[in-house]
Amino acid sequence: MDPDFHRIKRLPPYVFEEVNRMKAKARAAGEDIIDLGMGNPDSPTPQHIVDKLVETVRDGRTHRYSTSRGIPGLRRANAAYYKRRFGVEIDPETETIATLGSKEGLANLAMAITTPGDVILSPNPSYPIHPYGFIIAGAVVRHFEVGPGIDFFAALERAVRHCIPSPTCLILNFPSNPTAMTVDLDFYKEVVKFAKDHGMYILSDLAYAEIYFGDVPPPSILQVDGARDIAVEFTSLSKTYSMPGWRMGFATGNKRLIGALARIKSYLDYGAFTPIQVAATAALNGPQDCVEEFRQLYKQRRDVLISGFAAAGWEVPSPEATMFAWAPIPEPFKHLGSLEFSKLLLKEAKVAVAPGLGFGEHGDDFVRVAMVENEQRIRQASRNIKKFMSNADAHLGRKEAS
């Protein structure tokens, strides 16, 4: 009997786990670790959303099974959001479905539409569920490099040209986790045309639609004429309303793909707890000033982080969106790679970051820095890093000696 299961064998060791173990050990020893690793919002959910949850949960009728597609009011609220934010008309009955966060939606859609051996195009670096949702489903993933200075369409064209059989699906994620890259509507127009020309579906992750710092909000791919012929978009309430633990998101777009996701989910779950869905409806339909407050909070943290790290001797590009900075490893440490650098930074500076290698091999020259500590803690991280950088030779000498 094979002790390893087929799907598990296709998953590599979790790169972040080694840093997480070190972080837990340091904290157990009483060390003060400034955690800029996991993208886990630290602000409480707005009170009016919490109040709606509490009000609803007191009604015993809401304690029964819900529906995996999402209650009608919630789907209507998401359709209203698309109309208000993007000017896109969505049929709440056939073109949107509630998911247990965007991560679950993408993984289950991968299971629904994948035939073993299908080839999927995934950017690299990327959020792990993007390729691995399809790998778990039995697909073959063809990576193409994305990032600063990379021609997206040249890399995509090269990947398609070398795919046998032809790819069936393309994954997009803008604003991007981890690179924080953004795109405009013209980009989506070009990518929709490309996908149609090559007979591919598009799965677009728009989880960071509302965490942006410029004057122009990130667009939706569904704003492109004809995009719904081939595209589904995933959104999430986790960052927009600081609701990460509530696990509420949506898949919206192509009716055939939404129908496939609805069918497979009907076998797998009964949807989120009804009071959570009601509270999520209140989030989408209620006052939106909290969204702007969170946006400004991350902008202020971004500015403190970028200026503080620069003063420490670590030049990090300022992100235009998301709650992350995609930070090139400082030159003296670049040869270490992202995992060893992250471990050294944790040990010597007491600052935790996410190794870029965890997002794909093309991320190994970077680390992802999450803006999930308050400004005071980010300033402390900058001071720790300044001291760390000033002793680079000593740290590297000890590292090589060990």
Side-chain angles (χ1 to χ4, degrees):
M1 188 177 291
D2 190 341
D4 296 318
F5 299 106
H6 169 69
R7 295 188 196 281
I8 301 302
K9 285 194 289 188
R10 298 196 71 199
L11 300 176
Y14 194 54
V15 171
F16 306 115
E17 189 56 38
E18 197 166 348
V19 176
N20 290 341
R21 279 198 302 269
M22 285 184 62
K23 185 167 58 180
K25 184 177 179 181
R27 283 178 166 160
E31 295 182 17
D32 180 23
I33 302 299
I34 301 171
D35 193 354
L36 307 178
M38 185 176 180
N40 192 5
D42 60 317
S43 300
T45 304
Q47 192 60 47
H48 71 280
I49 302 172
V50 176
D51 289 344
K52 178 56 70 172
L53 173 76
V54 172
E55 173 193 329
T56 310
V57 82
R58 294 184 189 280
D59 183 348
R61 292 172 298 178
T62 66
H63 300 176
R64 306 182 72 185
Y65 291 130
S66 189
T67 170
S68 60
R69 296 179 64 241
I71 61 175
L74 179 58
R75 286 182 277 116
R76 287 195 297 269
N78 188 51
Y81 163 75
Y82 264 86
K83 176 64 176 176
R84 179 174 72 240
R85 172 68 163 78
F86 302 112
V88 174
E89 296 276 1
I90 295 297
D91 182 348
E93 293 301 317
T94 62
E95 293 182 319
T96 192
I97 183 172
T99 60
L100 307 180
S102 57
K103 186 175 181 178
E104 175 268 330
L106 191 144
N108 276 329
L109 182 55
M111 292 293 293
I113 67 175
T114 300
T115 300
D118 282 353
V119 177
I120 306 300
L121 297 178
S122 177
N124 186 321
S126 69
Y127 187 54
I129 196 62
H130 295 156
Y132 288 110
F134 279 95
I135 286 174
I136 292 168
V140 174
V141 173
R142 172 80 184 189
H143 295 280
F144 62 97
E145 187 175 2
V146 295
I150 304 295
D151 184 326
F152 179 93
F153 284 100
L156 182 60
E157 178 68 53
R158 192 161 52 247
V160 171
R161 190 165 60 246
H162 294 287
C163 278
I164 300 174
S166 297
T168 61
C169 188
L170 167 65
I171 301 169
L172 300 176
N173 174 214
F174 299 104
S176 170
N177 176 10
T179 69
M181 288 176 60
T182 58
V183 296
D184 58 19
L185 198 55
D186 285 340
F187 171 91
Y188 282 135
K189 290 176 182 177
E190 189 172 350
V191 84
V192 167
K193 181 180 185 306
F194 184 95
K196 285 189 171 186
D197 288 346
H198 290 86
M200 293 186 292
Y201 286 116
I202 296 174
L203 273 57
S204 175
D205 185 346
L206 191 63
Y208 293 89
E210 303 305 335
I211 309 298
Y212 61 91
F213 310 125
D215 295 331
V216 180
S220 161
I221 196 171
L222 300 182
Q223 290 174 254
V224 176
D225 288 342
R228 273 182 283 189
D229 297 340
I230 58 167
V232 159
E233 189 163 70
F234 296 91
T235 53
S236 170
L237 274 60
S238 294
K239 278 71 179 183
T240 304
Y241 299 99
S242 198
M243 296 173 66
W246 299 59
R247 308 313 303 136
M248 182 53 60
F250 298 92
T252 305
N254 179 267
K255 293 180 181 181
R256 187 179 180 202
L257 295 179
I258 295 299
L261 178 56
R263 183 164 185 183
I264 202 164
K265 278 176 64 64
S266 70
Y267 283 90
L268 296 174
D269 68 66
Y270 288 105
F273 186 37
T274 296
I276 291 178
Q277 296 193 52
V278 174
T281 304
L284 288 165
N285 289 341
Q288 300 299 302
D289 52 330
C290 58
V291 178
E292 176 61 25
E293 289 169 7
F294 289 134
R295 190 180 299 131
Q296 290 304 315
L297 174 73
Y298 288 120
K299 184 177 188 294
Q300 290 161 10
R301 290 180 178 182
R302 177 203 65 171
D303 294 344
V304 169
L305 188 148
I306 297 302
S307 62
F309 279 33
W314 189 356
E315 295 293 336
V316 176
S318 182
E320 290 299 315
T322 78
M323 57 195 292
F324 306 113
W326 188 232
I329 298 174
E331 197 59 44
F333 304 95
K334 198 166 186 178
H335 67 284
L336 295 177
S338 60
L339 179 57
E340 291 304 314
F341 173 71
S342 297
K343 289 161 63 177
L344 188 62
L345 193 67
L346 178 62
K347 180 181 178 182
E348 302 292 348
K350 312 306 177 189
V351 175
V353 296
L357 183 62
F359 304 98
E361 68 269 24
H362 293 301
D364 201 25
D365 289 337
F366 297 81
V367 294
R368 192 193 70 179
V369 186
M371 296 174 274
V372 291
E373 296 262 19
N374 63 40
E375 291 178 31
Q376 180 181 345
R377 297 279 285 170
I378 293 173
R379 290 190 179 97
Q380 182 61 56
S382 300
R383 290 192 291 270
N384 292 5
I385 290 169
K386 184 174 184 178
K387 184 178 179 181
F388 167 78
M389 295 283 287
S390 68
N391 291 290
D393 290 342
H395 295 316
L396 286 169
R398 287 196 294 272
K399 180 73 177 173
E400 289 164 5
S402 64

